[in-house]
Amino acid sequence: MSIDAVTTFLALLAVLALVVVVVSLAGWVAGRVRGGLPPALQSLRDAVRELALRGAFAVALTATLGSLYLSEVAHFPPCELCWYQRIAMYPLTVVLGVAALRRDVAVKWYVIPVALIGAGISTYHYLLERFPDSVASSCDAEVPCTVVWVWKFHFLSIPGMAWIGFAAIITLVLLAQPGRETTEDAPT
Amino acid sequence: MTDPRGGSRNNTLLIGGIAVGLVAILAVVAIFLTGGDDEPAADAVQEQGPVEVGGSALPPFPQVPALVAPADQDPAVGQTPPTLTGEGFDGERVVIDPADGTAKVVVFLAHWCPHCQAEVPVLQGWIDDGNLPDDVEVYGVSTAVTQDRPNYPPSEWLEREGWTGPVLLDDPDSSAATAWGLRSFPYLVFIDTEGKVVARASGELPADQFADLVDQLAA
């Protein structure tokens, strides 16, 4: 696969994750307004809740591997802000991996603060890319954070995808609930 | 009644299966959208070239909070930059000789830098409006060329922008940019008819400031 194909794939995954975030938010609002979801959607929601921790782990793993691909294979040098986002994202892979194995939904208390910090840095980085003149009017000869390496579907850059990753992780750990049978199936 | 636990497990399997299936479909879509394999190598146009630097280097652009370095803070003012002998996109010889008797502006550009991308149409628009005096030349130097970076190749970018001046291609070590004291992109050096630096600027220089400096050269 070419670099372009991989970045397009990552961007498509980000769009999928964004859909998950938006649908979850819409479901939550609808549940609040209508005082509960229809039974068919409830069972769907319960199924999603059971898979949510594994989903969050998959998002963190994809973001980590994706960022490593971009720096080590595609040779896009990570700028300073990229590194701060990596600092937030990489440990989440390990933490969410362990939590998914242990089905420990309480992990959200540790994951959400880190993911919020990461999303904050992504927001700032994305705005810098959109408005490069706001910080400087020239590019440092090294690696400026204003350079846009990837631009897909007219709205997705690398920090844009990172933001969606953090948002999806927050959404999924909030959704996560130990399934009824999983507590019984858990090893003793 | 059906077993609620069995129903829940079926739903979980279904959702998991849909998720995995979606990811696989997206991979296929990505390959389809981008045509799969790497693009073929570019044609005969070159993006970098050998550069010969004749003369002593200019001091680096001073770190000042201004686009145009004030003359009293720029040690390069009054100095003569080294002669650059190199090639253009089509392999033609391009020489930037400060002391050839013609006043000139040399603009160092990096194709991936958003500020360079913004500056080129400003300068070219000003030139296209007929503002450039006949006795002043504007040279481009394409430097810091990196194939993996955005907006590659610079030859297509400058052609797209309708850049009319001669373009000298820097070498992979950025010898020309280093010898002329570049610190950040874009970087502009204004040289009078005697080959001496009148002013240096780095950043998105507005057309009116560019015009003022060109006026100093033509005077």
Side-chain angles (χ1 to χ4, degrees):
Chain A
M1 268 167 96
S2 66
I3 291 171
D4 194 29
V6 174
T7 51
T8 304
F9 177 53
L10 291 173
L12 286 169
L13 288 178
V15 171
L16 178 66
L18 189 61
V19 169
V20 170
V21 172
V22 171
V23 168
S24 303
L25 201 63
W28 180 77
V29 171
R32 277 289 161 118
V33 172
R34 295 169 44 101
L37 291 169
L41 282 181
Q42 268 183 26
S43 68
L44 192 71
R45 181 196 60 192
D46 291 342
V48 170
R49 286 190 147 168
E50 262 188 70
L51 288 168
L53 270 186
R54 275 168 274 181
F57 166 66
V59 171
L61 183 68
T62 306
T64 299
L65 293 178
S67 105
L68 286 171
Y69 173 87
L70 293 175
S71 66
E72 304 309 312
V73 181
H75 299 298
F76 300 166
C79 77
E80 199 178 348
L81 289 173
C82 296
W83 274 110
Y84 289 131
Q85 287 160 82
R86 288 172 154 211
I87 288 167
M89 183 63 83
Y90 289 9
L92 291 182
T93 310
V94 180
V95 171
L96 285 166
V98 174
L101 279 178
R102 298 189 64 230
R103 301 172 193 271
D104 179 7
V105 294
V107 76
K108 67 181 172 201
W109 297 109
Y110 311 98
V111 165
I112 291 173
V114 177
L116 279 176
I117 292 168
I121 300 165
S122 298
T123 307
Y124 177 65
H125 192 181
Y126 187 80
L127 290 174
L128 273 193
E129 287 184 337
R130 303 302 295 142
F131 309 103
D133 294 342
S134 59
V135 272
S137 105
S138 65
C139 287
D140 192 80
E142 300 295 313
V143 188
C145 295
T146 47
V147 174
V148 182
W149 297 93
V150 173
W151 190 246
K152 296 287 176 191
F153 315 134
H154 304 290
F155 80 107
L156 272 182
S157 64
I158 297 172
M161 293 190 247
W163 186 92
I164 293 173
F166 287 121
I169 287 169
I170 292 170
T171 306
L172 287 168
V173 294
L174 280 175
L175 273 177
Q177 227 178 34
R180 261 163 298 158
E181 83 248 59
T182 53
T183 41
E184 296 162 30
D185 292 349
T188 47
Chain B
M1 269 184 71
T2 53
D3 175 14
R5 277 186 47 189
S8 169
R9 180 170 290 144
N10 282 344
N11 272 343
T12 308
L13 283 175
L14 182 69
I15 300 284
I18 289 172
V20 172
L22 266 179
V23 169
I25 289 169
L26 292 184
V28 174
V29 169
I31 294 172
F32 181 74
L33 279 179
T34 56
D37 290 324
D38 282 307
E39 289 165 25
D43 46 26
V45 172
Q46 57 176 1
E47 304 295 342
Q48 291 181 316
V51 173
E52 202 179 300
V53 178
S56 53
L58 288 184
F61 186 76
Q63 280 174 321
V64 287
L67 288 174
V68 182
D72 58 349
Q73 289 178 42
D74 189 352
V77 170
Q79 288 190 21
T80 301
T83 301
L84 301 175
T85 309
E87 294 177 3
F89 290 121
D90 296 320
E92 76 279 17
R93 198 173 126 93
V94 178
V95 180
I96 303 179
D97 180 4
D100 63 1
T102 313
K104 52 180 75 64
V105 185
V106 182
V107 186
F108 290 80
L109 299 164
H111 62 91
W112 45 267
C113 169
H115 303 290
C116 296
Q117 290 161 15
E119 181 70 2
V120 165
V122 170
L123 296 186
Q124 193 58 49
W126 183 84
I127 292 169
D128 290 344
D129 289 342
N131 293 309
L132 185 69
D134 289 339
D135 51 356
V136 177
E137 289 180 328
V138 176
Y139 286 87
V141 177
S142 172
T143 185
V145 174
T146 316
Q147 199 167 347
D148 299 329
R149 295 198 178 190
N151 196 32
Y152 181 90
S155 57
E156 284 178 15
W157 165 49
L158 291 174
E159 192 184 334
R160 203 165 54 236
E161 295 289 352
W163 183 263
T164 46
V167 177
L168 183 134
L169 308 184
D170 209 347
D171 63 18
D173 297 328
S174 296
S175 304
T178 309
W180 279 52
L182 177 141
R183 194 165 246 160
S184 56
F185 311 101
Y187 174 58
L188 303 93
V189 184
F190 297 79
I191 299 156
D192 64 14
T193 51
E194 293 171 3
K196 304 216 181 307
V197 174
V198 173
R200 297 195 292 176
S202 189
E204 283 180 49
L205 197 62
D208 55 339
Q209 283 194 50
F210 184 79
D212 288 347
L213 290 166
V214 168
D215 282 348
Q216 291 183 34
L217 300 182

